[in-house]
Amino acid sequence: MKKVGLTYDLKTDYEFKENDPPDANAEFDHPSTIDVIAQAIESQGYKVKRIGNVSSLIENLDNLDVDIVFNISEGLYGRNRESQVPVLLEMKGVPFVGSDALTLSLTLDKVMAKKIFIAEKITTPKFFEIKNANSLTDIDHLKFPLIVKPRFEGSSKGLSDDSKVDNMEELKKQVEYITGAYKQPALVEQFIRGEEFTVAVIGNDPAEIMPIVQIKIDGRLKLEDKFYTFAHIASDRLEYICPARVNNELKKKISDLALRTYNAVECKDFGRIDFRVDSDGVPFVLEINPLPSLSTEDVFMLVAKEIGISYEQIIGKILNSALERHSLN
Ligand SMILES: Nc1ncnc2c1ncn2[C@@H]1O[C@H](COP(=O)(O)OP(=O)(O)O)[C@@H](O)[C@H]1O
Ligand SMILES: [Mg+2]
């Protein structure tokens, strides 16, 4: 029986420090998520060895004794944090599920990722980066409203109702907040009104596009000025609708863009691409997540249901893509 190592970061392992923003541990998993993933892997006929976070991995690196590692570790600090586990495994020649260090760093850094999107003609909102609110001058190449995000975070970290800004004063204040609280540059983007979608992708050469999921906020699909803030994560004001209510033309556009984005950053085994679609029906790629949540409350569970397989089977499908890629099955 093949042995699958599991690397992850637990919310409960994170110790809050002074001056940490309230969402500092947002990207880490609940112990119950790790339990269901471990059970899902076991149900597909494998033995699971729980390794834990990057520190536990370092301690055990010389006697891992696994055939492959299923990595969902987000890491603690900096824009390379998601790459720390993969780069150690790569160094030791241990195969792992999911994208490699280069892809993980490149996509966690939204500015770098957007440069790739532009080079590949993947539509993404116009943007600029700003390191210091005092150097903010005119923004004549962009029109308000804008949205201010941290340059390298996920899980809607740093996003609140104040993130959408309608004038210079609000913009400056929000840039000050992001650069101060998150100790990184701010990414300022054109705010896209309209609707929001997210698309899960599984596998390699060719990757498979899962049914499109639509984001409903406060009971509305036409989101206009509403967007996915950190406060929404734990609230019932946000719902996922699968399959999304889209016509065939938009469905095709979004699916094609999702696949091109996945391939452009060389995502492996699984990933999820976030979109906003403006009132003219033009889809914009916001970001790609090569380590999307696999929680049973999240998108992968929904798409499993929609394609008629179980949660265990969709985890098995991701694992199988990696085993195939490494010629291990
Ligand atoms: N340019 C934008 N226009 C409108 N809404 C946006 C824009 N960028 C982000 N958002 C909103 O903020 C949420 C989080 O942004 P995203 O870029 O996906 O970062 P992350 O999920 O990594 O925190 C999106 O799901 C969307 O609701
Ligand atoms: Mg997102």
Side-chain angles (χ1 to χ4, degrees):
M1 193 185 271
K2 283 207 174 64
K3 238 198 227 178
V4 180
L6 200 50
T7 46
Y8 49 84
D9 286 288
L10 290 181
K11 276 199 200 299
T12 43
D13 283 348
Y14 187 81
E15 287 174 26
F16 274 87
K17 296 177 303 308
E18 225 184 298
N19 301 327
D20 264 356
D23 53 11
N25 72 349
E27 295 198 294
F28 306 144
D29 283 298
H30 282 289
S32 60
T33 302
I34 307 307
D35 290 341
V36 287
I37 294 174
Q39 280 158 17
I41 297 171
E42 280 163 356
S43 78
Q44 302 300 297
Y46 303 94
K47 204 169 152 37
V48 171
K49 177 177 175 183
R50 294 183 190 216
I51 298 168
N53 64 17
V54 69
S55 307
S56 321
L57 176 64
I58 289 172
E59 277 169 34
N60 295 298
L61 205 51
D62 289 323
N63 42 25
L64 278 183
D65 184 30
V66 294
D67 297 286
I68 191 163
V69 169
F70 201 121
N71 169 47
I72 57 163
S73 166
E74 302 269 349
L76 285 180
Y77 308 109
R79 66 176 173 178
N80 293 305
R81 64 182 184 271
E82 290 183 349
S83 308
Q84 292 164 355
V85 162
V87 91
L88 287 169
L89 294 172
E90 184 177 311
M91 184 186 96
K92 279 286 169 186
V94 179
F96 53 91
V97 179
S99 300
D100 75 359
L102 176 62
T103 295
L104 289 164
S105 293
L106 174 71
T107 54
L108 186 61
D109 184 332
K110 292 189 168 79
V111 169
M112 286 295 191
K114 284 171 78 79
K115 288 178 182 173
I116 301 280
F117 299 162
I118 292 165
E120 297 283 337
K121 302 200 161 47
I122 291 165
T123 44
T124 188
K126 284 190 187 154
F127 76 104
F128 64 93
E129 185 205 343
I130 176 124
K131 295 194 172 76
N132 185 331
N134 295 327
S135 57
L136 205 55
T137 49
D138 59 89
I139 52 150
D140 53 10
H141 54 303
L142 289 179
K143 280 203 287 284
F144 287 108
L146 303 173
I147 184 166
V148 185
K149 311 192 256 190
R151 180 171 162 178
F152 36 86
E153 296 293 352
S155 304
S156 283
K157 280 173 81 172
L159 289 172
S160 69
D161 290 340
D162 296 336
S163 305
K164 177 176 154 283
V165 295
D166 290 299
N167 55 52
M168 241 4 221
E169 196 187 330
E170 289 177 3
L171 170 61
K172 195 163 179 203
K173 212 170 126 203
Q174 199 57 16
V175 168
E176 255 161 26
Y177 171 66
I178 291 296
T179 52
Y182 295 88
K183 300 184 176 55
Q184 58 187 282
L187 162 60
V188 182
E189 267 184 1
Q190 191 73 68
F191 186 90
I192 310 295
R193 291 193 163 106
E195 298 178 282
E196 181 160 336
F197 303 92
T198 190
V199 185
V201 180
I202 298 180
N204 313 291
D205 307 319
E208 252 182 272
I209 306 294
M210 297 294 119
I212 300 172
V213 171
Q214 188 161 8
I215 314 287
K216 196 175 191 177
I217 301 178
D218 296 330
R220 286 174 54 179
L221 291 174
K222 294 249 179 283
L223 300 183
E224 303 300 337
D225 284 354
K226 295 179 196 288
F227 59 100
Y228 195 158
T229 64
F230 178 67
H232 281 123
I233 291 178
S235 93
D236 51 15
R237 292 174 51 203
L238 187 138
E239 292 165 72
Y240 291 119
I241 309 294
C242 183
R245 311 228 177 100
V246 282
N247 62 36
N248 281 338
E249 191 194 356
L250 184 57
K251 183 173 161 187
K252 188 173 182 324
K253 272 192 207 163
I254 291 178
S255 307
D256 288 350
L257 266 179
L259 186 59
R260 283 176 51 215
T261 308
Y262 189 86
N263 290 332
V265 299
E266 299 185 9
C267 216
K268 296 286 185 289
D269 308 330
F270 71 126
R272 209 195 70 221
I273 298 97
D274 293 344
F275 291 88
R276 289 286 284 206
V277 175
D278 72 10
S279 46
D280 297 328
V282 179
F284 291 84
V285 172
L286 300 180
E287 59 151 357
I288 175 163
N289 303 287
L291 274 185
S293 168
L294 294 176
S295 148
T296 48
E297 324 268 276
D298 219 287
V299 167
F300 276 79
M301 179 71 175
L302 272 183
V303 299
K305 233 187 225 165
E306 180 58 26
I307 62 173
I309 65 175
S310 63
Y311 177 77
E312 287 79 8
Q313 286 168 321
I314 204 160
I315 297 291
K317 200 170 157 69
I318 295 169
L319 176 55
N320 245 322
S321 308
L323 289 168
E324 245 171 56
R325 185 163 58 82
H326 293 289
S327 309
L328 284 172
N329 61 349

